[in-house]
Amino acid sequence: MIIVVAAFLVMNIVGLFIMGEDKKRAKKHEYRISEQTLWLVALFGGAVGATAGMQLYRHKTKHLSFKIGFPFLAGIELVLFFTWVI
């Protein structure tokens, strides 16, 4: 169970970090993190962190797939996480 909790925390920290990093790169007109990578991190357990990063950094908030998809996926991940842990 500790491994599940640790993996969940790590992936969500990564999700939060990459949203901030992509926003920073976007402002500087640098090479960006692909949307595919953002989705993969979210799909593999980082949706809560990616959703928080999206709101915190105001990044990808106009993209409907992110605006709806990330919170939806985060909800699913939270339900799965708490059913697994509890």
Side-chain angles (χ1 to χ4, degrees):
M1 183 180 325
I2 290 176
I3 293 172
V4 172
V5 172
F8 185 75
L9 288 173
V10 167
M11 287 307 294
N12 281 291
I13 290 168
V14 169
L16 181 70
F17 172 77
I18 65 167
M19 290 301 280
E21 182 64 24
D22 192 47
K23 177 68 174 195
K24 184 174 80 172
R25 290 180 185 188
K27 283 183 173 181
K28 293 181 178 181
H29 303 287
E30 293 178 349
Y31 185 75
R32 304 275 304 278
I33 298 169
S34 71
E35 289 186 357
Q36 181 180 7
T37 301
L38 298 175
W39 276 105
L40 284 173
V41 169
L43 282 170
F44 286 112
V48 175
T51 302
M54 185 174 67
Q55 297 302 317
L56 179 66
Y57 301 113
R58 294 178 169 242
H59 188 52
K60 301 285 187 190
T61 55
K62 293 183 181 179
H63 295 258
L64 194 58
S65 63
F66 286 94
K67 191 176 186 177
I68 293 172
F70 273 15
F72 180 74
L73 190 57
I76 292 171
E77 288 180 5
L78 284 171
V79 168
L80 291 174
F81 176 74
F82 284 115
T83 55
W84 183 286
V85 171
I86 295 176

